Each structure stands twice: as C-alpha cells, then as structure tokens.
Amino acid sequence: MRRLAHPDRRRPEHRRVRLAAASVAVLSLAAGVVPAQAAAHAPAAPAAATAAITSGLDREALRDSLAAFHKAGMYGAYSSVRDGSEQWRGAAGLADMDTKRRMRPDFEHRIGSITKTFTSVAVLQQVHKGRIELDAPIGRYLPELIPGERGRKVTVRMLLNHTSGIPDYILPAFPGLTEDPGKSLEENRFRRLDHKQLVRLGLAAQPVAERGKHAYSNTNYIIAGLLLQKVTGQNPETYITRNVIRKAGLRHTYFPRSPYISGPHAKMYESMYGYIDPARDFSVYDMSWAGTAGAMVSTTRDLNDFYRQLLGGKLLGPAELRAMKTTVPAYEPEPGQDVKMRYGLGLYTLRMPSGGWYWGHDGGVFGAGTWALSTENGRRQVAIGYNLMKYERFDEQNRPKPDPIGAALMQYVDGALSGSGKSSTSLRHSPPNSLPTLPPLVTPEQLRR
C-alpha cells in the first residue's frame, strides 16, 4: 500500500483512514515473520546491555534532554529516571495548549499497550497455579468464543506473543474512521464496547499474517482478559487490580471506571498525521474499546516500580518470568541486518542506538504516548509520557519528512538509560522511522485522501 498522500484540506471528502492491526506506539515497524514452533520456544534476546552504562544520574543533562523533546515540537512530557535507589523526575512543556498550564512530573496518564504487560503477568500467575497451560489451545478454555480451527490451533502462548494470526478489531470498532477520523473519534468518545463483541470483530476481520508469524493485534489481549475471567471467575480488570497492581504496591495505576481520569493529568492531543488539524484533546474517552489490551492509567513512577519488581522476580515465579522473556523477532530485518527488537509475552527487548538491550513496553491511545524501559536487572530505568500523538508528517510524494520530535524522544530515552543524558549523536542523522518499536494503531501507509 502506498504511503500517505499530503493531507488535502481542500477536499476532506477524499480523506481515507485504515487502521493497522497494532497498538499505538512511538515509531512504525515492519511486521515480523516467525514459524509457529519458534514462537513457542525461541531463545531470549541478549540480556545484558552491550554498551557501557554511566553510574549515577546526570540531572542537568536529563532536564536539558527532556526540554529538547519539547522544543522539537512535543506539546509536553514528563518522565521518571532511576539508577538503583537514585531517582529523578522532571517535566517540560504544556499540559493544556489553551490555558498554557504547565506539565508536572506526577501526572497520571493513559498508558495504552503497556497494559499488556500487566495482563500477561496475570495470565502467567494462573499458569503458575496450573489453571492455564501456555501451549494449550485457546479453544479448550473459550470454545464458544473461538471455535473451529482457530480454537484448536491457536495457543495461549501465541496470543501473548502475537503469533496467533488473529486480526485486530480496531477498524471495525470505529465505523466512519475511514472517512473522517476526527468525526469518528468524537462520535465514539462515550461509546461502551463489550469485550466479546471486540473479539468477534477481530475474528471476522481480514488476517494480515498467517498463524505463527508475529503480527501485533489488540484482539489477542482482549481474549487473554476473557481467559482470565473464565479461569478465575472474576472480571479480568478486577483480577489484575487485586493480583498485579496491588501486589506491586502501585498507588496511581488503575483501570478507569469512566471516560475521565481521576487524578491530575494533562490534556492528550491527537493529530493523526495532520488529518486532525489542529490536534484535538481526547483525554476524556471511554476506554472500553481497549480493555485488557490498553485501557490502564498510571504514572511514570509507578511504571518504574512495576517493571523493577517484575524483572526482579517479585511478581512471577522463575519459570513464568523465563517464559515471559522468551522472545520472537518482532519484525523481518533487511538482508544483512540484525533484529533490534524481540517480543516475549507482553514484554519486549529492544536494542537502543547506544548499544544497550533493554526490557519493557511502549503504548498509547488517541493523544497519549508512553514508554517504559529497564535494564534486565531493573536497576537503570526510564519511563516517559507525552501528550501529542501521530505528529509525523509526509511530503507530496508520500515520503516521510525529517522527524525532529521522534529523534529527540529517542535521544532522551537512550541517554537516560545509558547514563549520558543524551543519545548517540549519530541518531540526529537517522532517517525517519528507522528505529524499531511497536507498530502504530494508525499508520501513514493506511491513510489516503
């Protein structure tokens, strides 16, 4: 499919949007292809960082680097960085573009697909208790919802590492999105969606990859939530709250009970690559469409707490944590190139430009982006939230324009992890969208006029 044509605001009736089977993320990524057998038993990625990490936190460098992210065009951002017991929190830019209210480092934020790590932990807890088998077919547990060949051949492991071949439900869940994205998002702002309905929409959609090939799909984690409900007898969001969030001692992490975020937060602006102009605030939104795949709210401090406990073995047993960190390639690399991102069970490992491998997840919903990464032992960590999504732009020939916002984001995150406070200077000259993370919910390739 050709890339996005330059937005033509003179002819809005020709604007078309098609959604990828994916979650909102930082930058786009080609889909990976992995045999089914490898999906279940692939080796983990290199665990230790291959680049030197500077001990201690350079607070001035962190402040300057986060400010550079804002100056590059991001409306506002807030972040928490840790090195052992040492912590730094900071904020830059605006929480509200109309009132000019400033960002604060303690804001709550919609974390999108980072929810998947929490859901996976909950499923793996049930694996530990013997109530779920990772390599059992999902039809054993949910025969009426997932009957036939899929029910017999798609395993729980395939759901958690996105090799099930089950398509995403996003496009059919948002009718009208192909004609006018701003109007569609507004019309669905307070709409409640049933999780079984979402699964049926995904099962009926056109597959984008055959079973056994990595293809990121929100449907997988809605099914995982329904699996939890089946084996525990509890609402999956309630179970995750009691057995994952509370077990980790997180005080500002929750599934919202209404379209509103309960604590202090920024407005969250969606641009849709310029098709929503000016970018519109969607911080008030019914998140039933995301559920156990992406509905949660948290803070950057809570996210660092969570991943440190997870990687430190405090939330799962050793066998389950090993299973979570057993990965498959998250995309098909160019000939001669190494894979720089591998996906486990709701957790991925990523090689950053300075050379280190880190564990975590990224996520986002309309208007809100989040990223959390840690060293394997959880000692060095960064979590960041920001409030402008799909800010990338394309020229008349559908080619990506230079992306200073994305480059500044990567420089901040990589620098915070390596300890230099800034990333490798070579990143400044990297082509747009050249650094892998999860594929975006809405890609420029699926946007047409």
Side-chain angles (χ1 to χ4, degrees):
M1 186 179 294
R2 65 183 179 87
R3 278 194 174 274
L4 166 67
H6 182 72
D8 185 353
R9 297 186 179 90
R10 296 169 299 175
R11 302 178 66 190
E13 68 277 12
H14 293 293
R15 298 178 186 179
R16 303 284 296 177
V17 180
R18 297 185 63 194
L19 299 182
S23 73
V24 178
V26 183
L27 302 172
S28 68
L29 161 73
V33 179
V34 185
Q37 294 83 357
H41 303 292
T50 57
I53 297 177
T54 302
S55 179
L57 299 180
D58 186 337
R59 298 169 184 273
E60 182 178 359
L62 289 168
R63 282 194 298 269
D64 291 346
S65 185
L66 190 62
F69 181 37
H70 167 55
K71 291 177 182 177
M74 177 52 58
Y75 290 171
Y78 31 92
S79 179
S80 297
V81 183
R82 287 183 180 172
D83 182 40
S85 61
E86 189 177 357
Q87 301 187 45
W88 176 85
R89 293 193 299 164
L94 300 177
D96 189 319
M97 297 300 291
D98 295 325
T99 67
K100 308 305 178 185
R101 176 168 56 97
R102 303 292 299 179
M103 278 291 190
R104 284 171 30 193
D106 60 346
F107 275 161
E108 294 182 352
H109 193 67
R110 297 195 188 278
I111 63 172
S113 284
I114 293 178
T115 303
K116 291 180 174 66
T117 310
F118 288 78
T119 300
S120 182
V121 169
V123 172
L124 289 168
Q125 288 175 346
Q126 293 300 307
V127 171
H128 179 76
K129 293 179 179 180
R131 296 174 180 169
I132 295 175
E133 293 182 25
L134 277 176
D135 294 312
I138 188 60
R140 176 188 298 180
Y141 306 101
L142 300 169
E144 295 182 358
L145 184 64
I146 310 174
E149 183 180 5
R150 277 179 171 151
R152 295 190 302 270
K153 295 188 176 181
V154 171
T155 67
V156 175
R157 191 188 303 268
M158 289 178 178
L159 295 173
L160 298 182
N161 67 12
H162 299 290
T163 59
S164 69
I166 296 175
D168 205 295
Y169 59 80
I170 296 296
L171 179 58
F174 285 86
L177 194 60
T178 56
E179 286 75 33
D180 189 331
K183 180 180 178 182
S184 178
L185 294 185
E186 284 290 354
E187 289 177 345
N188 289 283
R189 189 185 287 268
F190 297 103
R191 181 185 176 204
R192 294 293 296 173
L193 288 165
D194 177 76
H195 289 181
K196 289 184 178 179
Q197 177 188 3
L198 294 176
V199 172
R200 294 188 182 101
L201 291 174
L203 294 174
Q206 183 67 33
V208 297
E210 63 187 64
R211 187 167 48 251
K213 296 180 179 180
H214 182 91
Y216 199 93
S217 172
N218 288 294
T219 311
N220 290 322
Y221 273 76
I222 298 296
I223 296 172
L226 293 171
L227 171 62
L228 276 173
Q229 182 172 340
K230 179 75 173 190
V231 300
T232 67
Q234 300 179 44
N235 175 286
E237 297 176 351
T238 300
Y239 179 86
I240 294 169
T241 298
R242 292 174 177 172
N243 296 278
V244 182
I245 296 173
R246 291 181 183 172
K247 183 175 181 179
L250 308 182
R251 302 183 64 182
H252 302 283
T253 301
Y254 57 93
F255 285 96
R257 296 181 179 179
S258 79
Y260 300 88
I261 297 176
S262 61
H265 62 278
K267 288 190 173 182
M268 302 170 189
Y269 297 91
E270 178 61 49
S271 174
M272 200 71 74
Y273 308 107
Y275 279 78
I276 301 178
D277 186 18
R280 197 174 306 170
D281 170 35
F282 289 105
S283 56
V284 175
Y285 217 92
D286 188 307
M287 295 304 297
S288 59
W289 68 269
T292 50
M296 287 176 59
V297 172
S298 189
T299 64
T300 56
R301 184 172 184 173
D302 266 13
L303 291 178
N304 283 341
D305 283 345
F306 171 67
Y307 279 107
R308 178 170 287 186
Q309 292 189 57
L310 173 61
L311 295 170
K314 296 181 179 179
L315 301 180
L316 291 173
E320 288 70 40
L321 184 57
R322 282 195 302 271
M324 194 176 205
K325 293 167 66 178
T326 299
T327 61
V328 298
Y331 66 101
E332 188 72 23
E334 295 294 329
Q337 298 294 315
D338 294 330
V339 174
K340 296 181 180 179
M341 179 183 178
R342 300 179 64 89
Y343 200 94
L345 307 184
L347 182 75
Y348 65 63
T349 185
L350 175 70
R351 184 175 182 178
M352 297 296 282
S354 60
W357 284 90
Y358 302 95
W359 292 91
H361 214 284
D362 62 88
V365 291
F366 305 118
T370 317
W371 206 2
L373 291 175
S374 303
T375 53
E376 188 182 27
N377 61 8
R379 178 178 178 86
R380 190 79 181 210
Q381 299 182 287
V382 62
I384 183 171
Y386 45 95
N387 67 339
L388 173 63
M389 290 299 287
K390 287 177 283 301
Y391 44 75
E392 299 88 347
R393 295 294 184 268
F394 296 78
D395 65 19
E396 295 285 353
Q397 285 72 45
N398 307 318
R399 296 172 301 194
K401 293 182 177 181
D403 179 16
I405 300 177
L409 172 61
M410 189 65 73
Q411 286 182 1
Y412 172 76
V413 172
D414 192 21
L417 289 167
S418 66
S420 65
K422 57 184 178 180
S423 177
S424 169
T425 55
S426 63
L427 180 62
R428 301 172 187 172
H429 307 291
S430 298
N433 298 341
S434 64
L435 296 160
T437 61
L438 296 178
L441 178 73
V442 185
T443 66
E445 289 86 350
Q446 278 85 41
L447 282 161
R448 298 181 178 184
R449 57 178 178 178

